[in-house]
Amino acid sequence: MTAIDRSAIHGSRRVVVKVGSSSISGDAAHRIDTIVEAIARAHERGTEIVLVSSGAIATAIPFLDLGGRPNDLATQQAAAAVGQNVLMWRYQTSLDRFRILAGQVLLTAGDLENTTHRSNARRAMERLLGLRILPIVNENDTVATHEIRFGDNDRLAALVAQLIGADALVLLSDIDTLYTKPPSEPGAEPIRHVAYGDDLGGFEFGSVVVNSVGTGGAATKVSAARLATAAGIGVLVTSADLVDAALSGDDIGTWFAPNPEPAAAPVTGPVRTVGEAVAADRLGA
Ligand code: GLU
């Protein structure tokens, strides 16, 4: 059931959690444990979680002796290929404590707009969740570079949330809540609740200002929240350190209330079982 307020995240059936590179790489790599512990608790309660995680490039930097983030796209992609492997290993090592298996899912936003790819991705994710496996999604940087260029796995997370019919989307950031202005400026107010259909002009203004002082990410979070809420999925934006409180439904962060009357989901055709798909492939369907 769609979470109509943040407290309902606790009892949700299915939640997408998205975390960005800076929260889980370099000196912050220890936070993988914090995130995994919160996910394991929710998993134990019966909530199905899908984790959308960036961080492949950032994780690779020390392994490739790059001395910093590479500037050219090909090296960034190569770094992502190396770092994705290490990142998954770190997640799995942490998940081992709870006997949870991770499944790597590399997607592009374009995949989710293509009917066949979308249906394939949905079937695979449904099966992973049915097997109680934690799907960990990142952009497939070998064939798509949207996130590398725009730093925007938030959008992919919103699309994944729609794909699997999530009840809520939790976007983790480095700030505990969105603010009307940069938090350091006088008069900055936390934005606690955004009703569906609220005029987002003010928030866009806030986002641009926040970005210009380098707190970053607010603009893509607001636009991902617009995408998800339009589809009837409530969105919580808060800091990665508060992930356990977020999944427990605590009164934290910025809550974007979902559209109470979302349009019907786009027609993507029925999800075939693996057996049906194999049979169809044999027949060339
Ligand atoms: N998907 C890439 C990663 O996980 C891109 C992130 C970035 O540009 O920092 O590393």
Side-chain angles (χ1 to χ4, degrees):
M1 248 258 296
T2 296
I4 51 163
D5 60 50
R6 46 164 86 65
S7 68
I9 294 175
H10 182 267
S12 287
R13 185 181 62 98
R14 197 170 268 193
V15 178
V16 173
V17 176
K18 185 262 166 181
V19 64
S21 304
S22 62
S23 301
I24 46 137
S25 60
D27 292 344
H30 63 88
R31 205 177 277 110
I32 285 181
D33 283 342
T34 310
I35 289 163
V36 162
E37 283 153 23
I39 288 175
R41 266 192 284 275
H43 187 263
E44 179 68 30
R45 290 195 289 270
T47 302
E48 294 173 339
I49 304 276
V50 171
L51 177 63
V52 177
S53 177
S54 311
I57 295 176
T59 299
I61 291 171
F63 290 90
L64 293 177
D65 282 334
L66 292 171
R69 186 182 163 90
N71 293 321
D72 70 289
L73 192 55
T75 312
Q76 288 171 342
Q77 289 176 287
V82 170
Q84 180 66 25
N85 177 42
V86 178
L87 190 59
M88 287 304 291
W89 179 81
R90 287 184 178 165
Y91 275 120
Q92 187 58 64
T93 303
S94 189
L95 286 163
D96 282 349
R97 297 175 295 153
F98 304 97
R99 297 178 181 274
I100 297 173
L101 262 183
Q104 172 179 269
V105 179
L106 299 179
L107 291 174
T108 69
D111 285 331
L112 300 182
E113 281 147 21
N114 171 301
T115 309
T116 308
H117 290 196
R118 188 181 163 83
S119 155
N120 284 338
R122 187 169 49 184
R123 183 178 53 235
M125 302 260 269
E126 289 289 350
R127 192 73 183 115
L128 286 167
L129 291 170
L131 292 166
R132 303 283 289 144
I133 289 168
L134 172 69
I136 302 185
V137 181
N138 196 357
E139 182 177 74
N140 185 351
D141 293 315
T142 315
V143 296
T145 55
H146 184 89
E147 195 205 356
I148 292 175
R149 291 170 194 268
F150 304 111
D152 189 8
N153 246 3
D154 296 320
R155 177 178 158 77
L156 184 62
L159 294 172
V160 166
Q162 285 180 60
L163 178 76
I164 60 159
D167 301 320
L169 168 63
V170 176
L171 297 173
L172 299 173
S173 162
D174 51 2
I175 47 169
D176 58 348
T177 181
L178 296 177
Y179 287 84
T180 51
K181 304 184 202 181
S184 53
E185 279 192 14
E189 297 286 343
I191 301 167
R192 302 281 290 119
H193 184 94
V194 183
Y196 184 71
D198 263 10
D199 174 14
L200 290 182
F203 299 117
E204 266 159 3
F205 167 74
S207 309
V208 170
V209 173
V210 170
N211 271 349
S212 73
V213 294
T215 44
T220 60
K221 285 187 175 50
V222 171
S223 81
R226 291 176 70 164
L227 196 62
T229 54
I233 300 164
V235 178
L236 184 73
V237 179
T238 192
S239 79
D241 282 329
L242 297 178
V243 57
D244 188 51
L247 292 176
S248 302
D250 290 4
D251 189 17
I252 55 163
T254 303
W255 174 253
F256 291 81
N259 180 359
E261 293 172 349
V267 179
T268 56
V271 178
R272 294 184 293 192
T273 65
V274 176
E276 285 165 349
V278 169
D281 283 346
R282 280 207 199 101
L283 294 170

